[in-house]
Amino acid sequence: MKKFLCICLVLSLCCTLAACNQSNRVKLTISDNSMEPTFSEGDTIIYEPVDTDTLQVGDIIAFWMVVDGERAVQAHRIVNIYDLGENLLFETKGDNAEKSDAMPVHESNVLGKYVRTLIFGFF
């Protein structure tokens, strides 16, 4: 059993190192409970840049928003997409929220699409 656990740990570490070498992926630590039960406060997620034309309702995106006059990164689920011709707006909502976010997200503020959650610091 110990040998099996050691092998699993080594494989997890190798996968983590390989994934971290993909420089386009970014870690984000969740700072609130707005996405529970999908993410909990303190979870670390990975997102990667995405062509906003490929995003769909249901995808989770990381994006810039303003909180108390400061820019912050948030991760919420897309609940609606508005095609304005040359631009896209994404209506987003935390899984734990009753209402959508107050302001839609302009495609220029999208940082990336959720890829996975790190578990104990590993993939």
Side-chain angles (χ1 to χ4, degrees):
M1 183 67 171
K2 287 183 183 180
K3 185 175 182 180
F4 174 75
L5 291 174
C6 287
I7 290 170
C8 289
L9 181 60
V10 169
L11 288 175
S12 294
L13 181 59
C14 290
C15 290
T16 299
L17 292 175
C20 288
N21 286 335
Q22 298 177 9
S23 61
N24 60 343
R25 290 188 171 179
V26 180
K27 291 181 184 180
L28 171 66
T29 300
I30 303 301
S31 61
D32 62 25
N33 66 352
S34 66
M35 282 297 290
E36 284 186 346
T38 306
F39 311 133
S40 296
E41 186 174 351
D43 284 354
T44 300
I45 66 168
I46 302 294
Y47 67 89
E48 64 186 3
V50 64
D51 179 351
T52 55
D53 291 332
T54 66
L55 292 172
Q56 301 175 4
V57 170
D59 288 340
I60 298 171
I61 57 172
F63 55 92
W64 285 112
M65 65 180 297
V66 177
V67 177
D68 297 327
E70 300 283 328
R71 284 184 78 180
V73 178
Q74 181 66 272
H76 279 171
R77 192 175 304 277
I78 297 172
V79 294
N80 208 343
I81 301 172
Y82 304 99
D83 187 343
L84 305 178
E86 294 186 19
N87 296 295
L88 295 173
L89 289 177
F90 300 95
E91 182 179 345
T92 57
K93 177 181 165 300
D95 289 354
N96 193 28
E98 291 183 19
K99 297 179 184 177
S100 296
D101 297 331
M103 297 290 296
V105 179
H106 187 274
E107 65 183 330
S108 64
N109 287 323
V110 174
L111 299 171
K113 180 179 173 181
Y114 166 76
V115 176
R116 64 182 50 200
T117 302
L118 292 178
I119 301 185
F120 302 117
F122 299 101
F123 281 86

